Structures are given as C-alpha cells and as structure tokens.
Amino acid sequence: MTSTRDLENLLRQSIEGNTDAFEQLYNATSAKLFGIVLRILRNRAESEDALQDIYVRIWQKAGDFEPGRASIITWMATIARNRAIDIVRRQRPEADIEDADIETLISPGSAFDQMAVADEMRQLDHCLNDLEDDRQQIVKLAYIEGWSRAELAERFAQPVGTIKTWLHRSLRQLKECLGT
Amino acid sequence: MTDRDDIDMLAAEYVLGTLEPAQRQSVETRRSHEPELDRAISDWEARLSPLNTHYDAVAPSRDLFAGIRARIEGAAQATRQAASQHVPGVVEFAKLKRRLAVWRAGALGAAAIAASLIVVVLSGDLNSPVQNGQFVAVFHRDDTQPAFVMSVDLETREVTIRPVEATVPEGKTYQLWIVTEETGPKPKSLGLLENIANPTTKQLGGFDPAMLRNATFGISLEPEGGSPTGQPTGPAIHGRLISVAQ
C-alpha cells in the first residue's frame, strides 16, 4: 500500500518533470479516481477519456497542491470529481436518467478508507443520519452519483425549486451539525 | 437570506455538483478573484469529501497512461517551441515553469496565491539583482493551455505580450492589469490588448523596476472597449513571472 507521504513524494518529483514518478502516482491512484469518474459518467470509454484529461490536469496543477489543506488523495479526487461533474452536467442538463435503484447505487465502498478519513466519515454519517431520509438521499445522489437538480426533481416527483430548497436546508443543517 | 449565506450555498452546491453548467462556470471564474467564495468552496470540499469513501476503486484499461504521457510530454514540447519562437533564449520554458512550481510549493504559502486577486507574480530567484532582468510569464487558459506569453524587460520597463493560442470571442477584448504594493490592492489597468494576432508592447515608464518585479499581472476578458467598471469584470487568466537565466 502506498502511503500518503509516498504519494506526496511522487507528486513532488512530478513537479520537477519526472514523468516516471508521475506514472507511479498514476498506478497508485488511478483505480480510485476511475471509480469516481465511472460512477458519475456511467460509461467506460467516456470515463477513460476523462481520466486521461484528469491526470493531464493533475500534472499541470501539481504545483498548486498544498499539503495541510487537504490530503493528496482528496485533492486528486476533487479534481477528478469536478471534471466528471462538468462533463455530466454539460451532457445531460435535463432529467434523462434511468430508474436506477438508489440502494444499489449508494453502496458502501472502502477505497478511501486507508486515507484516514474514517473519523470524518463517522461524523458526516452521523450528521447525514439526522436528515430526513429523502433529504439524506438527495445529498448522497448529488454528491456520489452526480445527479442534477432536474434529475433529483424527477426522481422525487418534486418541482426543481423544491429540490433546491431541500438541498439548501440539508446543507445548512449539515454544516451546523458538523460545527465547521 | 444574507449575501454571505448566498455565497455559502453557492459554494455548497458547486461542491455538491448540482449547479447548472453556466453557474458552475461562473463560480469557477469568480473564485479566482473572490477569496470568500474560494474559501467557502474549500470548506465545503473538506466537509463533504468523506463521502468519497463511497466510491469503489475500479481499474481502468491497461496502457491508459501511455496516452497521458504522450500528452504531457507533447504539451511541454509545444510550450517550449512556442516560447522559443516568440521569446528568444527561452528554450527551457516548460522546465522554468515547473521550477517555479517547485519553488512556490516549498517557499510560499500557496493559499496566499490562490486567494489573491489574479495571482501573485514573482521571480524564481529572489536574490538576483533587479537590473538588466528579463522575465517571462505564461498566461494559461483554464490553467491548462498557455494563451499568452509575457516578457518584461526591467531595464527598459517594457512589457510585451505575445499570443500563443489566444482567441477573442466576438464583442470582447483582453485587458492587461497590474497590482503593485504602491498602487494598492486594486488592479490598475495597463490598457487593452487590441490586436492579439500581434505582440502588444506596453511602456511602463511610470513604474519602478523593483516594483514591477514584484508586481501582479493579469489578463481579463472584457467587453469591447474595456472594463466598464475600471476593475476586471470578466474571466481572468493569470501569469507568473519567471526570471530568465541570462
């Protein structure tokens, strides 16, 4: 298992132009990032194209990484998720989703567990559990699956404006619960 | 609802991913010059990132990295070529750029850069004499492709901006800005880059060389005729000044 420090060292060498170090960084992290992109884009070929863009971007932005602000894997995951969301939002801005089974979509994963987020996850889980069931689900579907407001509106048979209100209330409640 | 709450909810939905494409784009543009929004986004990323534990790892196809390697090596070469073509003597351009990143990662709180208005411009070597210095900066579009290369001759106080891949949307114009300690926190316009097919040269005789050296430069996209407010209004691209070895 590659430690966070190993990953940071590989990134540092990448900043100096070492493409072999960058390949090692890719090997250690690409399955995690691919899991994110695939989950949101739900198309393998498209996700692989996106993954290539994401690593080119990580290479270019490597100098922006600030240890201490976020873990390296969180930083990389944010870049990957943002890219996937950008793509999916441009592609299907309107509701166009199959009647997917929410329970199977939100499967508990463990890919990031080694990254010392267990405590934070416990706290966030606790706060999510305080939300009403459907509010909890819209937050998770939006974040994890990349659903738009329109898709959520269709799924929960509510006007888009109501979904926005639910989202804002849920997010405020989460923020308060997390106390950050 | 307060403005602060609006910003917080905008940041929250940006991180959650539920904004429409145009709103997402606008947030990305705004965060580069709105520290409060940028901070709110970082805070929400920290709050929600534990949800990343829900993603399972899935191995992508083998050999995907070959394509990435080709692109990063190709891009470095293209940047080098563009730079050497336009700025004689700057053959090691991509290397310089990466060296700057190393220096910046180690020496300066990058948060300050991220939060700054258009991005701090500094030379790579803080101890070299100011005189006779040639400095260059690469301006990136979306932080991915170089759109402009700027060179500064501190001796003649001349700034030259050369387009690399810049195009101008219809009805828009690029505007050059500077921020220095003496002129205060607000960007000061250095004028428009009207014909970006050709290099634009600006005489900065009014600025002290030492001040220029530590100045912040930015290029923003503005309505035709320039910013209506006297401050950057459109998407800004940023450049980081690098000392060119003599």
Side-chain angles (χ1 to χ4, degrees):
Chain A
M1 197 62 80
T2 317
S3 74
T4 298
R5 175 164 294 187
D6 292 338
L7 296 181
E8 285 184 6
N9 281 335
L10 291 171
L11 188 74
R12 191 163 285 277
Q13 290 169 49
S14 303
I15 292 172
E16 289 161 6
N18 183 339
T19 48
D20 292 334
F22 192 63
E23 183 167 12
Q24 287 180 52
L25 182 68
Y26 171 88
N27 289 336
T29 54
S30 55
K32 295 182 186 81
L33 300 200
F34 190 59
I36 294 175
V37 177
L38 189 62
R39 186 82 166 261
I40 293 171
L41 295 184
R42 295 183 229 159
N43 174 303
R44 198 172 169 99
E46 204 171 64
S47 298
E48 290 192 339
D49 285 348
L51 191 69
Q52 290 195 324
D53 288 346
I54 287 159
Y55 276 92
V56 170
R57 197 164 286 202
I58 289 168
W59 167 263
Q60 287 164 336
K61 295 173 85 128
D64 294 344
F65 171 67
E66 298 167 46
R69 198 175 182 192
S71 81
I72 179 168
I73 197 70
T74 301
W75 177 76
M76 292 175 77
T78 301
I79 292 173
R81 224 188 121 258
N82 268 335
R83 177 76 185 147
I85 297 272
D86 277 339
I87 293 172
V88 81
R89 226 17 97 251
R90 276 201 303 271
Q91 272 173 358
R92 40 183 175 101
E94 301 304 323
D96 175 28
I97 197 157
E98 293 179 16
D99 196 14
D101 180 352
I102 296 178
E103 293 311 315
T104 60
L105 281 171
I106 305 178
S107 60
S110 58
F112 284 78
D113 290 355
Q114 52 146 331
M115 299 307 169
V117 293
D119 285 347
E120 286 90 341
M121 188 60 220
R122 262 195 297 279
Q123 205 192 348
L124 181 59
D125 252 346
H126 159 76
C127 292
L128 279 166
N129 283 332
D130 280 353
L131 299 176
E132 288 168 43
D133 279 355
D134 46 7
R135 313 286 161 98
Q136 191 185 139
Q137 289 213 322
I138 64 168
V139 170
K140 283 187 173 178
L141 283 167
Y143 188 93
I144 300 165
E145 318 286 347
W147 283 26
S148 67
R149 284 182 195 157
E151 288 165 334
L152 294 164
E154 183 169 302
R155 173 82 203 187
F156 290 90
Q158 294 291 335
V160 173
T162 304
I163 294 295
K164 185 178 167 183
T165 307
W166 285 10
L167 283 172
H168 286 196
R169 280 197 196 136
S170 310
L171 289 162
R172 282 196 201 95
Q173 195 179 325
L174 275 183
K175 184 180 174 181
E176 195 170 327
C177 174
L178 290 167
T180 51
Chain B
M1 198 186 283
T2 63
D3 288 351
R4 178 159 295 185
D5 190 53
D6 286 346
I7 287 177
D8 199 44
M9 282 300 110
L10 191 65
E13 275 210 82
Y14 172 79
V15 173
L16 198 60
T18 43
L19 296 181
E20 296 298 314
Q23 290 176 299
R24 279 185 70 75
Q25 184 65 49
S26 145
V27 168
E28 266 155 41
T29 305
R30 282 177 57 187
R31 73 182 295 188
S32 64
H33 54 92
E34 290 184 35
E36 194 184 354
L37 178 61
D38 188 59
R39 213 167 23 246
I41 290 171
S42 300
D43 288 347
W44 275 107
E45 281 169 357
R47 275 180 207 116
L48 297 178
S49 64
L51 283 169
N52 290 342
T53 49
H54 286 280
Y55 293 111
D56 289 322
V58 182
S61 302
R62 283 168 177 270
D63 299 334
L64 213 57
F65 189 78
I68 296 166
R69 184 188 284 272
R71 280 173 60 185
I72 58 185
E73 287 176 351
Q77 197 175 3
T79 310
R80 254 196 315 275
Q81 275 170 0
S84 61
Q85 197 179 340
H86 293 300
V87 188
V90 193
V91 287
E92 292 296 305
F93 206 78
K95 207 167 160 187
L96 277 172
K97 190 177 141 235
R98 303 197 77 74
R99 201 175 67 195
L100 175 76
V102 174
W103 161 79
R104 196 160 48 88
L108 193 99
I113 287 182
S116 76
L117 187 60
I118 304 178
V119 161
V120 178
V121 172
L122 282 169
S123 75
D125 180 358
L126 291 168
N127 299 317
S128 70
V130 172
Q131 294 80 12
N132 307 320
Q134 279 277 356
F135 292 82
V136 294
V138 191
F139 287 82
H140 287 249
R141 187 175 62 227
D142 301 335
D143 281 334
T144 52
Q145 294 161 297
F148 295 96
V149 175
M150 183 179 81
S151 57
V152 182
D153 188 324
L154 288 180
E155 199 172 15
T156 62
R157 294 179 222 179
E158 214 169 63
V159 172
T160 304
I161 298 102
R162 298 165 172 86
V164 179
E165 291 172 33
T167 53
V168 195
E170 190 145 354
K172 299 281 184 182
T173 183
Y174 286 106
Q175 189 161 0
L176 182 67
W177 304 88
I178 187 169
V179 179
T180 68
E181 272 181 26
E182 290 188 21
T183 51
K186 286 189 172 177
K188 192 169 154 37
S189 175
L190 293 178
L192 305 179
L193 308 180
E194 301 205 59
N195 179 6
I196 64 144
N198 295 308
T200 307
T201 300
K202 304 276 180 194
Q203 242 307 322
L204 303 181
F207 291 89
D208 177 69
M211 210 167 70
L212 276 183
R213 167 117 180 244
N214 292 302
T216 302
F217 291 89
I219 297 176
S220 68
L221 193 60
E222 300 294 341
E224 221 159 351
S227 163
T229 65
Q231 287 294 300
T233 61
I237 45 181
H238 54 260
R240 296 156 186 158
L241 206 58
I242 313 165
S243 171
V244 180
Q246 297 291 299

